[in-house]
Amino acid sequence: SISVFGSDFMNAGPGSNVTVTTTDTTLSVSWDLHRFSDNNGPITNVDWIMTVNPSTGEWTGTATATGNGVAPLGIVAKYTADGATIFWKEAEVTDGLKGYSVETRANGGEWKKIADVEMGTLKYDVKVTDIAGWMSFRISSVYTDGQVVAGKVFGLPGQYE
């Protein structure tokens, strides 16, 4: 594998690796990227397979890119009369995005999913149930392929539902 920091036709980030394998008639290149963008959002893996026609010497090939979901951004909360409203910005990669999950963790305990929110809905209301303790919140992007990508965790004093 080769460490790649960029090339003429892609924006590969530091730490990207390339694996090249060959036979008499094929050339296979696989990029395992930490951060890559094709103008449609982050990509984490690119496979490029070239095949030569032995009689003409002509190469043909295909490239496939595998997307990786991303977390929602700009997660904030605003207090309301009976609790708080959590707001977030839509994930940068919406291809295959099904929606968002809202989770809570009371006083450092286990995470508990409290809601699934449809794509396009960018807020969720929670009600305060007790002023003691601390509640952590996590908003995650949920993709149709089963991928769940957690956003930045934040907390509020008290207990919410």
Side-chain angles (χ1 to χ4, degrees), residues 78-85 125-131 159-161:
K78 180 180 179 185
Y79 288 108
T80 62
D82 59 352
T85 300
D125 294 322
V126 291
K127 292 185 179 187
V128 68
T129 59
D130 193 338
I131 58 170
Q159 301 299 304
Y160 297 80
E161 59 180 22

Side-chain angles (χ1 to χ4, degrees), residues 80-149:
T80 62
D82 59 352
T85 300
I86 304 167
F87 298 92
W88 60 91
K89 293 180 184 175
E90 192 163 70
E92 291 176 343
V93 176
T94 57
D95 248 7
L97 181 63
K98 186 166 85 173
Y100 301 94
S101 69
V102 180
E103 298 171 279
T104 59
R105 180 171 63 185
N107 302 312
E110 296 294 317
W111 285 105
K112 175 184 167 188
K113 187 190 304 187
I114 60 170
D116 287 312
V117 180
E118 293 179 2
M119 183 176 163
T121 302
L122 302 174
K123 66 179 183 173
Y124 187 78
D125 294 322
V126 291
K127 292 185 179 187
V128 68
T129 59
D130 193 338
I131 58 170
W134 188 263
M135 181 71 68
S136 297
F137 295 88
R138 180 168 66 189
I139 311 299
S140 300
S141 299
V142 179
Y143 289 85
T144 56
D145 65 1
Q147 229 181 141
V148 177
V149 185

Side-chain angles (χ1 to χ4, degrees), residues 17-76:
N17 292 307
V18 176
T19 303
V20 179
T21 54
T22 61
T23 67
D24 289 341
T25 59
T26 64
L27 168 67
S28 177
V29 181
S30 180
W31 285 271
D32 177 16
L33 306 169
H34 291 284
R35 178 77 174 158
F36 175 84
S37 177
D38 70 348
N39 298 327
N40 291 319
I43 291 176
T44 58
N45 191 60
V46 176
D47 292 309
W48 179 43
I49 300 173
M50 297 292 294
T51 306
V52 67
N53 181 330
S55 59
T56 65
E58 184 176 313
W59 287 88
T60 57
T62 59
T64 57
T66 306
N68 201 14
V70 296
L73 301 171
I75 302 169
V76 298

